[in-house]
Amino acid sequence: MSSHAHGHDHGHSGLIDHRGKLAAVLAITLAVLVVEVVGAVISGSLALLADAAHMLTDVAGLTLGLVAAILTRRPATPERTWGYRRAEVLGAAAQAGVLLAVGLYVIVEGVRRLFSPPEVTSDAMLLFGTIGLVGNLIGMAILATSRGDNLNMRAAFLEVVNDALGSVAVLVAAGVIATTGWLRADAVASLVIGVLIIPRTLRLLRETVHVLLESTPKDLDLTLVRSRLCAMPHVQGVHDLHATQVATALPVFTAHVVVDDSCFHDGHLAGMLDEIQRCMADEFDVAHSTIQFEAVSHSAHERSMHA
């Protein structure tokens, strides 16, 4: 006998709409990108041009994030019973890949500039670097309150933070060059950015891969869940426990629960289903659970392939 929780909306009605914020930040980032390209042409600064290239990849990442935010609003269908909620995770994984490529590029380019520093006009670097930083700070302010809502928004926020770090590096390098003439300041600043980008990106990529591999949500202890369910009246055992995560804040759980044979005749099952699903929702924060009840006499024939 299988039973599922009732009344859950797998669509988009409970989702926070981030499309407006992502579109605004994308527009700001595009504007800053154009300004930095113009500044690189005027000043001859390779640092500004590299930062503009950095922003170009971030524009691609933010575009992916916006597309993902649009897709997650689409309703569930018989073909896609969870709608496009997984698009949030795919968008975050794609952005993490972009960020990782940028971080590696920055480190390689930084090392190259240590040996062959380019000539730049520091005044123009300061001007256009400041414009870039202001745009980044505005973008960060727009996304700051939403960065913890899901992986997609976290990735978008990291894109803007990394843009800001790039602008700060340009300003620091320009200041050092203007006051000391030490052209290698640009390379050192680039290496610092790379060191800051890569660990955060790897962490985000690890989290998205964890979801895509359908691993158990990191805050859900299945051993504890099993013990809790086995402690309930009439429960003789629990097997075939599975827990995965469709998207941020959307874990799902299934289990086979072995109960006394009498429960199939005395009406206990309905109350037990309510108790188990209430327990999963209240104690383990899992609102979507599917429970298959099995009689003790049947469980001996069950060939379990899982925990």
Side-chain angles (χ1 to χ4, degrees), residues 13-288:
S13 60
L15 296 176
I16 301 174
D17 191 353
H18 298 116
R19 292 172 294 178
K21 290 184 177 183
L22 287 170
V25 174
L26 177 58
I28 292 170
T29 306
L30 277 170
V32 173
L33 168 62
V34 173
V35 168
E36 288 201 342
V37 170
V38 172
V41 172
I42 293 174
S43 67
S45 168
L46 187 58
L48 268 176
L49 188 60
D51 194 45
H54 180 194
M55 296 202 73
L56 180 60
T57 61
D58 289 347
V59 166
L62 288 168
T63 301
L64 287 170
L66 179 58
V67 170
I70 292 171
L71 288 176
T72 57
R73 306 294 297 180
R74 298 183 65 176
T77 66
E79 293 76 24
R80 293 182 176 85
T81 57
W82 293 103
Y84 288 81
R85 293 291 300 271
R86 183 55 64 86
E88 167 235 308
V89 182
L90 294 175
Q95 290 182 67
V98 170
L99 283 168
L100 184 59
V102 170
L104 292 174
Y105 166 78
V106 167
I107 288 179
V108 171
E109 184 67 8
V111 171
R112 190 189 69 80
R113 291 181 191 180
L114 283 174
F115 296 97
S116 180
E119 292 288 341
V120 296
T121 304
S122 58
D123 291 345
M125 285 180 67
L126 285 169
L127 173 62
F128 290 102
T130 299
I131 294 174
L133 181 59
V134 170
N136 298 147
L137 292 176
I138 293 173
M140 288 171 62
I142 292 174
L143 296 177
T145 57
S146 302
R147 67 183 186 273
D149 289 348
N150 59 43
L151 288 173
N152 187 46
M153 291 303 291
R154 180 181 169 188
F157 183 75
L158 283 177
E159 298 275 9
V160 180
V161 169
N162 287 325
D163 281 341
L165 291 174
S167 297
V168 169
V170 169
L171 291 176
V172 171
V176 171
I177 292 170
T179 56
T180 68
W182 191 51
L183 296 177
R184 288 180 174 80
D186 179 45
V188 173
S190 298
L191 291 172
V192 170
I193 293 174
V195 170
L196 291 173
I197 289 175
I198 289 180
R200 296 175 181 173
T201 302
L202 290 176
R203 193 158 49 244
L204 177 63
L205 190 60
R206 184 171 62 250
E207 290 184 18
T208 55
V209 169
H210 184 84
V211 174
L212 292 174
L213 289 178
E214 299 195 349
S215 303
T216 302
K218 60 183 179 181
D219 55 350
L220 183 62
D221 185 342
L222 288 186
T223 300
L224 183 60
V225 172
R226 184 197 300 273
S227 298
R228 179 66 179 86
L229 297 184
C230 286
M232 292 182 175
H234 306 292
V235 174
Q236 300 298 320
V238 178
H239 62 94
D240 278 288
L241 282 82
H242 295 278
T244 61
Q245 189 166 321
V246 177
T248 301
L250 188 54
V252 295
F253 172 80
T254 64
H256 291 200
V257 179
V258 181
V259 299
D260 297 335
D261 289 9
S262 61
C263 293
F264 287 85
H265 309 291
D266 59 16
H268 279 151
L269 290 184
M272 292 180 68
L273 176 63
D274 288 341
E275 183 182 1
I276 290 173
Q277 293 187 324
R278 185 166 50 248
C279 169
M280 293 304 303
D282 295 345
E283 299 181 26
F284 299 101
D285 200 24
V286 178
H288 295 274

